[in-house]
Amino acid sequence: MLRLATRVLPGGINMRQPSTLLTFVRHQHTRYPTSQLNGPPGTPAHRQYFNRLDSTPISPWHDIPLVDSANSPSAPLYNMVCEIPRWTNAKLEIDTSTPFNPIKQDVKNGRLRFVPNIFPYKGYIWNYGALPQTFEDPEHCDPDTGCVGDSDPLDVVEVGQEVCEQGSVHRVKVLGLVALIDGGETDWKIFAIRADDPMAHRLNDIGDLESNMPGLVDATVDWFTKYKVPDGKPLNAWAFGGKPKDAAYAHRVIASTHEAWKRLVHSDPTISAGGYALTNASVESSKHYLTPSDASDAFKKLIDRSPGQMCPDPPPHPSASASSPVAAVVPQSAPSKWFYMRGDKVTNSD
């Protein structure tokens, strides 16, 4: 469940103005409320920012700890930021290039991106998210895959029974991984399950996942292999022949990408850091660190200049009025078509 409220920020910024709508969202099960800026999900300008409970703006990439504070040495748990709820199609992601790294929907050629429905799947078949404080270094060639990293935080496919909310943060147990090769880059996919899922006590490694949820690992590989084909792309390739690695291997990959993130967040701000936004409110040893007060000031400035600079708004709904900014923003719907495939070909398309 969510609790929504329109919010007026300190400093006299009225968030009810049609051009700058900020909705405050508190997830009941998370320590990190979020703020939705410039319209609801499904609109080009939508951004979902993260806050601490004291309202200090934070980055979900840099300020949410990788290792959960309630960690047990015998069963290490990590924090996962849910970007995409299961069964949905919008390609949402943490924006690594914008200060405070909000979640946004990817845009390509001026259009919002949605993944297709490929038989027998509907949208994303797991809760899809990222491990904070990790970085797949594009300058590092992994000795096992022979490819460099893809410049993003580690991806997580969460296999528990509940559908998570966009922007929610969960403690997860890591079970293993597979290694997608996308455009010559290593794109690890971490299998995990929420620590509070009823099945979590039975799943400790990749073999347990196959025993208790037979076919899910193969379906995951199948999904990632095919999901770009309806858009005219070739089948995706895999390291290790698409076979999964166990939890111990996954923990090593997580540790390695955490070290890569440390190097990145401590990089010299006077030197180009590849376009990554490294502003943070928790890594005090980083030259990109902001005090809570400075972070709040920086966020207010970001809001001041955000309308019209992030993305153009979609056309207003015919029934919308100037006094009703929420009604004026019309979310774009995911495609409803279902694609059937044989090999690398779509069989029900002209």
Side-chain angles (χ1 to χ4, degrees):
M1 292 182 64
L2 301 178
R3 183 160 57 84
L4 306 179
T6 303
R7 186 179 175 208
V8 179
L9 289 186
I13 303 176
N14 186 353
M15 304 319 296
R16 289 187 182 275
Q17 295 175 358
S19 59
T20 313
L21 180 69
L22 184 69
T23 304
F24 186 70
V25 182
R26 185 183 297 280
H27 303 278
Q28 284 192 340
H29 51 270
T30 183
R31 294 161 289 167
Y32 303 98
T34 60
S35 303
Q36 298 188 13
L37 177 64
N38 284 354
T43 56
H46 168 75
R47 298 293 185 274
Q48 185 176 29
Y49 287 91
F50 287 68
N51 315 275
R52 292 197 181 109
L53 292 176
D54 64 2
S55 297
T56 300
I58 62 169
S59 159
W61 186 18
H62 306 307
D63 293 317
I64 295 175
L66 168 63
V67 178
D68 184 80
S69 59
N71 215 22
S72 166
S74 61
L77 300 176
Y78 301 94
N79 285 314
M80 181 197 93
V81 179
C82 180
E83 299 162 303
I84 306 171
R86 180 190 283 116
W87 311 134
T88 63
N89 299 73
K91 194 175 187 306
L92 298 158
E93 59 190 5
I94 292 173
D95 184 356
T96 60
S97 64
T98 298
F100 298 104
N101 310 112
I103 291 178
K104 68 169 187 177
Q105 188 166 349
D106 193 17
V107 176
K108 186 172 184 180
N109 298 324
R111 299 180 63 85
L112 291 173
R113 290 187 66 185
F114 296 90
V115 298
N117 299 313
I118 300 174
F119 179 81
Y121 314 115
K122 167 65 176 75
Y124 287 82
I125 62 175
W126 351 251
N127 297 302
Y128 193 74
L131 291 184
Q133 297 188 344
T134 61
F135 178 59
E136 298 183 70
D137 189 349
E139 303 296 326
H140 171 70
C141 182
D142 185 86
D144 291 342
T145 67
C147 298
V148 298
D150 74 345
S151 308
D152 286 325
L154 281 173
D155 294 325
V156 183
V157 293
E158 194 279 320
V159 300
Q161 65 179 253
E162 291 192 18
V163 175
C164 298
E165 298 163 0
Q166 177 191 326
S168 57
V169 180
H170 304 275
R171 300 164 64 228
V172 297
K173 180 191 293 187
V174 163
L175 308 174
L177 56 71
V178 285
L180 180 69
I181 304 301
D182 188 358
E185 298 174 334
T186 305
D187 188 3
W188 303 103
K189 306 297 181 185
I190 306 287
F191 286 102
I193 188 167
R194 283 175 52 170
D196 60 356
D197 188 273
M199 288 283 289
H201 71 286
R202 297 167 59 183
L203 303 181
N204 297 296
D205 215 323
I206 198 69
D208 301 327
L209 180 59
E210 183 59 30
S211 297
N212 288 274
M213 301 180 186
L216 182 56
V217 173
D218 288 343
T220 298
V221 171
D222 186 54
W223 190 95
F224 278 114
T225 300
K226 297 175 177 176
Y227 82 105
K228 291 185 178 180
V229 172
D231 294 329
K233 302 290 184 63
L235 296 173
N236 275 327
W238 294 90
F240 319 124
K243 300 300 181 182
K245 294 290 187 179
D246 62 14
Y249 189 101
H251 288 302
R252 291 195 295 271
V253 168
I254 293 169
S256 175
T257 56
H258 182 52
E259 291 302 314
W261 168 82
K262 287 181 181 178
R263 293 191 297 271
L264 181 67
V265 81
H266 286 95
S267 61
D268 190 334
T270 64
I271 301 174
S272 173
Y276 306 108
L278 305 178
T279 298
N280 67 84
S282 61
V283 190
E284 296 186 19
S285 57
S286 165
K287 294 182 179 179
H288 306 271
Y289 168 75
L290 297 177
T291 65
S293 176
D294 289 341
S296 295
D297 290 343
F299 187 62
K300 285 189 286 186
K301 291 178 181 177
L302 183 68
I303 290 174
D304 281 341
R305 64 175 182 266
S306 63
Q309 291 192 14
M310 289 183 172
C311 282
D313 287 334
H317 192 277
S319 63
S321 66
S323 62
S324 179
V326 175
V329 182
V330 183
Q332 297 182 28
S333 299
S336 58
K337 185 174 181 179
W338 210 0
F339 292 92
Y340 290 79
M341 292 184 59
R342 181 179 294 118
D344 62 350
K345 305 294 184 184
V346 174
T347 62
N348 65 323
S349 180
D350 293 337

